[in-house]
Amino acid sequence: MADVLVVAEAAEGKLKKTTHSAVTFARQAAAALGGTYSILVIGSGVDAAATEAATLGAAKVLVAQDGSLGVYLAERYAPVVAEVAKARGIAVVVGTASGYGKDLLPRVAARLDAGYASDITGLVTEGSSLKYRRPMFAGNAFGLCSVATPIQVVSVRQSAFAAADASGAQSPVEQVAVARPGAAAERVEFVSFDQVKSTRPELAEAKVVVSGGRALKEKFNQVIDPLADVLGAAVGASRAACDAGYAPGDLQVGQTGKIVAPQLYVAVGISGAIQHLAGMKGSKVIVAINKDADAPIFQVADYGLVADLFTAVPELTKQIQASRG
Amino acid sequence: MKILVALKRVADPDNANKVKIPPSGDRIDTAGLEWKPNPFDEYALEAALRLTEDGKAPKARAGEVVVVTFGPKETEQTLRAALATGADRAIRVDVTDDKLDGALVARALKALVEREKPDVVLMGKQAVDGDSNQVGQSLAELLDWPMATFAATIQEEQGALLVGREVDGGVAVLRVRLPAVVTVDLRIVAPTSVYSLKTARTHKYNDGVRFAALPAIMASKKKPLAEVKLADLTADSGLKVQYHGFEPPPARKAGIKVKDVADLVARLKNEAKVL
């Protein structure tokens, strides 16, 4: 048996889009291994998430529901994933390298005594052997690795695996037993979640991203938001802008922030530090607007505009609006 | 409070675009790049120092900060720098870098934690060379300890830490009862990010990590630095993840400078077809 288990991500009872990227990996890996893939949905009140997961072509959707799983805690979720993987003779456990996957999957791997290939951007198959391409050194090198343990744990970079479409079929849904957590679970308590509410698309999923740098200062939102609105874009920021408090930390694009690869990325007042480039170099079309003609961002930009952003960005917003009638 | 901080040295992350892949593709060549402490681990050390002091009188340590690294003899420089900044004691696990993976480091750290019995293990959320982001989580699982990853804030409570974590869409707050593993994110070194029980909540730290004064650098040479063999920590030194080759990133074709906003809009519309 060589089957793949997708660890789904659910929030407020619904399936998160991150899951669909892991499913794309699972389809490729299961085909190479000659096996099937299942999707594991964990939580409390996740029937809607399970129903949605059942449209994604899995052999089975497994649901682990329990009141104790209502809020995500790695200490409680990892034993559930590990137990299902062991009991079902799973060969590859995969999730997406979102905040959730990055927190959970290494814990799962340790519990399974398995190797963990993180944040992979490609799957290379030779017969039934799986090799993983993963970025290192802020995306300045790519390593090709394999995992040498009977069970492998993998996280995929969301922007590198297109979201899986519905298959047209309905997968059977099966409830699974909830594994008992270890002592660690008794010593961690969820206190609160301070959610940044936004009506914009999520950064990692947006087709267009407009990012601002420190140069915007207190006018960050005043300059960036209208352009993002007219483009239907998600808003991102450089580390410097986040550190200075001009933008919230979860908007940070970069090696250690969000990794994005939209159709269009507009960098406003961003100099282009290596750590920032690592988070957006995969974008299809990159536009940079910066006063400094020597800024490194221009080296990766398809279209560079050397201009004062406080006049250029409002003008750009106006002209895009006008061009659309 | 006793804190164990895991530190890794990395090739200068601000020049990561200068790493080279030889034609054979058998390694990543960082020759010519200076060794620097992994920035996130430096932040972890700063957080550990803040947790073991009264911010008003940072010279007196309330507790102990032990730093550990894995590497050859010359990685002791990284440890000495940490001792100069304020850590009390250092341990070097003798090994060469290419004979390590995250799982092996976590196994060895587990054995070290069982010896040292710290209340908290602190480290960066990831090392910016391998970018794996796994050792803290793996260690917590091996120890069956609670964890709080990607910490942006830490407040000490009686026997516990209240940790604000940077997650997708906001900040999640966890309370972990000690002992626990905490991995830190960038904003942990902001002025009001970390408070020990002793530090007044009105206290503001300088932004960033502290630097060692010259007398402290001299004094650090007398602080204890022990060497431990990897084999004394784990009998299993096998690698679970194996690399078969390396390649440079795909090149982007050179772009152009547009003359004004109208030119940009026209090109985005007609040439790139993204509007």
Side-chain angles (χ1 to χ4, degrees):
Chain A
M1 261 209 305
D3 295 335
V4 179
L5 180 70
V6 175
V7 182
E9 180 171 3
E12 290 158 10
K14 294 204 200 80
L15 198 66
K16 285 196 77 175
K17 202 83 185 178
T18 52
T19 307
H20 298 62
S21 291
V23 168
T24 297
F25 168 93
R27 286 178 183 170
Q28 296 170 11
L33 294 168
T36 64
Y37 65 95
S38 302
I39 302 174
L40 173 61
V41 181
I42 307 171
S44 169
V46 287
D47 292 332
T51 305
E52 199 188 339
T55 64
L56 294 172
K60 270 180 187 159
V61 169
L62 306 170
V63 183
Q65 290 217 69
D66 192 77
S68 66
L69 302 171
V71 291
Y72 163 70
L73 289 169
E75 290 81 352
R76 293 191 180 275
Y77 277 41
V80 173
V81 179
E83 194 54 39
V84 169
K86 264 192 296 198
R88 292 174 189 256
I90 293 295
V92 182
V93 176
V94 63
T96 295
S98 59
Y100 165 81
K102 289 194 246 188
D103 189 64
L104 173 62
L105 293 166
R107 216 166 162 138
V108 170
R111 198 169 179 94
L112 290 167
D113 201 19
Y116 172 55
S118 64
D119 201 18
I120 70 159
T121 56
L123 168 66
V124 180
T125 60
E126 277 169 51
S128 63
S129 101
L130 307 180
K131 289 200 177 86
Y132 309 114
R133 183 174 286 116
R134 56 180 305 276
M136 307 167 81
F137 289 87
N140 287 288
F142 282 76
L144 193 63
C145 69
S146 60
V147 176
T149 49
I151 304 183
Q152 312 186 16
V153 181
V154 176
S155 64
V156 301
R157 180 172 285 195
Q158 189 179 359
S159 64
F161 288 84
D165 292 328
S167 68
Q170 279 287 322
S171 314
V173 176
E174 181 183 330
Q175 304 288 325
V176 298
V178 172
R180 275 172 65 89
E186 299 305 319
R187 294 199 282 122
V188 59
E189 174 198 339
F190 171 81
V191 177
S192 63
F193 180 43
D194 183 6
Q195 196 171 6
V196 181
K197 294 267 186 218
S198 171
T199 51
R200 299 183 191 286
E202 287 207 31
L203 255 177
E205 293 159 19
K207 291 199 167 60
V208 182
V209 174
V210 179
S211 280
R214 186 166 48 185
L216 289 156
K217 303 216 169 121
E218 285 78 12
K219 294 190 172 156
F220 188 96
N221 293 106
Q222 192 187 322
V223 175
I224 295 295
D225 289 3
L227 179 58
D229 287 341
V230 73
L231 289 168
V235 171
S238 71
R239 177 186 170 184
C242 295
D243 280 359
Y246 304 139
D250 78 312
L251 295 190
Q252 184 178 317
V253 172
Q255 178 186 20
T256 59
K258 297 275 164 34
I259 311 280
V260 301
Q263 294 294 307
L264 174 61
Y265 186 88
V266 185
V268 177
I270 290 177
S271 63
I274 283 165
Q275 290 78 10
H276 185 79
L277 300 183
M280 45 65 79
K281 258 194 319 196
S283 307
K284 189 155 169 277
V285 175
I286 298 173
V287 172
I289 305 172
N290 204 302
K291 209 164 55 178
D292 173 10
D294 297 323
I297 190 77
F298 287 121
Q299 289 164 21
V300 300
D302 300 283
Y303 300 105
L305 176 61
V306 180
D308 175 47
L309 51 93
F310 294 103
T311 52
V313 176
E315 182 60 28
L316 178 62
T317 307
K318 211 170 80 187
Q319 290 202 21
I320 291 174
Q321 211 156 22
S323 79
R324 290 179 169 171
Chain B
M1 186 177 334
K2 179 172 176 178
I3 304 182
L4 182 71
V5 180
L7 290 170
K8 186 184 187 186
R9 66 167 189 181
V10 296
D12 182 4
D14 293 323
N15 283 296
N17 59 340
K18 300 205 174 76
V19 300
K20 292 189 185 71
I21 316 280
S24 61
D26 63 343
R27 70 205 145 88
I28 300 172
D29 186 1
T30 61
L33 295 187
E34 213 182 313
W35 292 108
K36 295 270 175 84
N38 174 44
F40 291 103
D41 295 342
E42 256 191 316
Y43 304 159
L45 173 60
E46 174 64 30
L49 295 173
R50 290 184 188 184
L51 283 171
T52 53
E53 69 190 14
D54 177 344
K56 268 200 324 238
K59 277 191 182 145
R61 283 266 80 70
E64 190 184 21
V65 175
V66 181
V67 289
V68 56
T69 198
F70 290 69
K73 182 87 181 161
E74 72 252 30
T75 59
E76 290 186 356
Q77 285 176 13
T78 308
L79 295 173
R80 286 284 172 212
L83 293 172
T85 327
D88 300 286
R89 197 149 66 73
I91 299 165
R92 178 175 67 86
V93 181
D94 187 50
V95 65
T96 45
D97 295 332
D98 59 354
K99 301 228 168 69
L100 290 173
D101 66 10
L104 176 51
V105 171
R107 284 201 297 285
L109 280 176
K110 174 182 187 257
L112 203 61
V113 165
E114 283 162 355
R115 280 188 195 183
E116 290 285 335
K117 302 192 168 41
D119 302 297
V120 181
V121 179
L122 269 173
M123 67 184 85
K125 69 168 181 176
Q126 74 192 66
V128 297
D129 49 3
D131 281 336
S132 280
N133 192 336
Q134 71 172 104
V135 172
Q137 298 91 317
S138 304
L139 175 63
E141 180 60 39
L142 295 178
L143 290 165
D144 198 6
W145 283 12
M147 71 181 188
T149 57
F150 323 147
T153 58
I154 306 175
Q155 290 176 26
E156 185 189 359
E157 297 179 334
Q158 210 55 256
L161 297 176
L162 190 66
V163 182
R165 308 178 51 236
E166 296 214 358
V167 298
D168 297 338
V171 175
V173 180
L174 294 182
R175 178 175 288 113
V176 287
R177 280 197 280 137
L178 306 182
V181 176
V182 178
T183 77
V184 304
D185 214 320
L186 294 168
R187 278 165 275 279
I188 199 71
V189 294
T192 58
S193 290
V194 180
Y195 288 99
S196 73
L197 282 175
K198 293 193 160 202
T199 302
R201 295 299 153 101
T202 49
H203 181 77
K204 282 194 174 174
Y205 277 94
N206 290 329
D207 198 14
V209 299
R210 66 195 67 189
F211 294 99
L214 189 61
I217 295 171
M218 300 308 289
S220 75
K221 291 181 180 148
K222 296 203 182 98
K223 288 185 176 176
L225 194 165
E227 182 188 328
V228 177
K229 298 281 175 218
L230 183 65
D232 292 339
L233 296 176
T234 173
D236 171 13
S237 62
L239 301 185
K240 295 186 196 295
V241 175
Q242 286 158 359
Y243 281 86
H244 307 280
F246 301 92
E247 50 196 51
R252 282 191 79 90
K253 66 168 176 45
I256 56 156
K257 293 257 170 69
V258 296
K259 62 177 197 298
D260 54 22
V261 170
D263 186 16
L264 177 60
V265 173
R267 286 178 187 273
L268 288 178
K269 197 164 182 163
N270 306 322
E271 206 170 84
K273 301 191 194 309
V274 287
L275 287 187

